[in-house]
Amino acid sequence: MKPVLLVIAHGSRDARHAATVHALVRRVRSLRPDVRVETGFLDFNIPSVQGALESLAAEGVRDVVALPLLLTRAFHAKADIPAVLRDAPPQLRIRQAEVLGPSPLLLSALERRLYEAGLTPADKSATGVVLASAGSTDPEAIAVIADIAREWRHTGWCAVRPAFASAALPRTEDAVRELRALGCAKVAVAPYVLAPGFLPDRIARGAAEADVLAGVLGPAPEVARVLLRRYDAAAARGLLRLTVSA
């Protein structure tokens, strides 16, 4: 039998967050009906990751791929999630999958959201884009966002600038103004976030002077495909119990 896929989301007091996570999970199930997909939350929502793992163990499940629903490999992926998984019922054999980003498919999803918000491919060369991330204190995560912005710029946009809703600079509104000063005919903000919530709302406020604000990535088909690629890669690995260094 294929390992159960446990999607691990951050969780939020904002009801839109869980609703978006569940919509993404439904899309994943529709793409791969041969894989059982469950959801667990680190905070605020139920089931918790621990609760989901205990339920799976009680059913007799043995193999699980735990997939962080995260776009960068920052604190949650490096510390929080491995810590929770180490406390899982001992009969479970768990592989932790890689985070979703970076991936060319996610760039495709970002463009999908921009076009859904009103841009067209003909606008591309005259449009500056703010790649607006939630932000992190982890230098590796910040560097990844900067690298994605540089890569995306080479696909034909007038310019692409990274921005952050917390923990790092510049803020979205400052990046919007920088692109205006560069002479971009249009400025668009592309939230590099998976679900609505406090920080995505801050990104939206920072986009007040932009011409276009895209929606969050949410259940975009490209996101679901990346998720399944991470699952397949983890499922193909040897079975090892997580250790402190996981």
Side-chain angles (χ1 to χ4, degrees):
M1 293 181 62
K2 295 181 183 295
V4 172
L5 169 55
L6 177 63
V7 176
I8 300 179
H10 184 277
S12 172
R13 293 186 179 90
D14 189 321
R16 296 173 298 168
H17 174 91
T20 302
V21 170
H22 292 313
L24 174 59
V25 168
R26 287 194 297 272
R27 184 178 288 276
V28 171
R29 288 176 178 147
S30 72
L31 292 174
R32 289 286 294 276
D34 60 318
V35 176
R36 178 178 174 182
V37 187
E38 301 293 341
T39 309
F41 295 90
L42 289 172
D43 208 351
F44 301 117
N45 303 106
I46 56 173
S48 67
V49 177
Q50 187 67 27
L53 291 168
E54 290 173 355
S55 294
L56 290 172
E59 291 180 30
V61 170
R62 291 296 174 263
D63 293 327
V64 176
V65 168
L67 192 150
L69 198 60
L70 301 168
L71 295 171
T72 59
R73 192 172 180 273
F75 182 79
H76 292 305
K78 294 177 179 179
D80 282 354
I81 291 174
V84 173
L85 297 181
R86 284 194 296 271
D87 290 335
Q91 63 267 43
L92 291 177
R93 297 183 293 255
I94 301 175
R95 309 161 175 96
Q96 181 176 331
E98 295 296 328
V99 298
L100 301 183
S103 167
L105 281 170
L106 294 178
L107 289 181
S108 297
L110 287 167
E111 294 207 6
R112 171 191 291 275
R113 294 301 188 225
L114 285 169
Y115 296 146
E116 289 171 349
L119 289 181
T120 70
D123 295 319
K124 199 167 184 178
S125 63
T127 301
V129 179
V130 178
L131 179 68
S133 169
S136 173
T137 57
D138 188 305
E140 178 186 349
I142 298 301
V144 166
I145 299 301
D147 287 344
I148 292 170
R150 282 191 292 270
E151 178 182 348
W152 203 15
R153 163 66 181 84
H154 294 312
T155 67
W157 296 101
C158 174
V160 180
R161 293 292 185 270
F164 307 92
S166 68
L169 296 174
R171 294 288 184 258
T172 302
E173 53 268 34
D174 297 323
V176 168
R177 292 173 189 136
E178 179 185 354
L179 290 171
R180 289 276 188 226
L182 283 175
C184 297
K186 290 185 177 181
V187 176
V189 174
Y192 191 58
V193 294
L194 287 165
F198 177 76
L199 293 178
D201 284 349
R202 181 179 288 177
I203 290 171
R205 291 193 296 273
E209 297 179 17
D211 300 294
V212 173
L213 170 63
V216 300
L217 293 172
E222 297 87 353
V223 177
R225 288 166 57 198
V226 173
L227 196 152
L228 286 168
R229 287 186 181 183
R230 299 293 185 256
Y231 165 80
D232 287 336
R237 294 202 306 262
L239 286 169
L240 295 173
R241 283 292 296 177
L242 289 164
T243 63
V244 173
S245 61

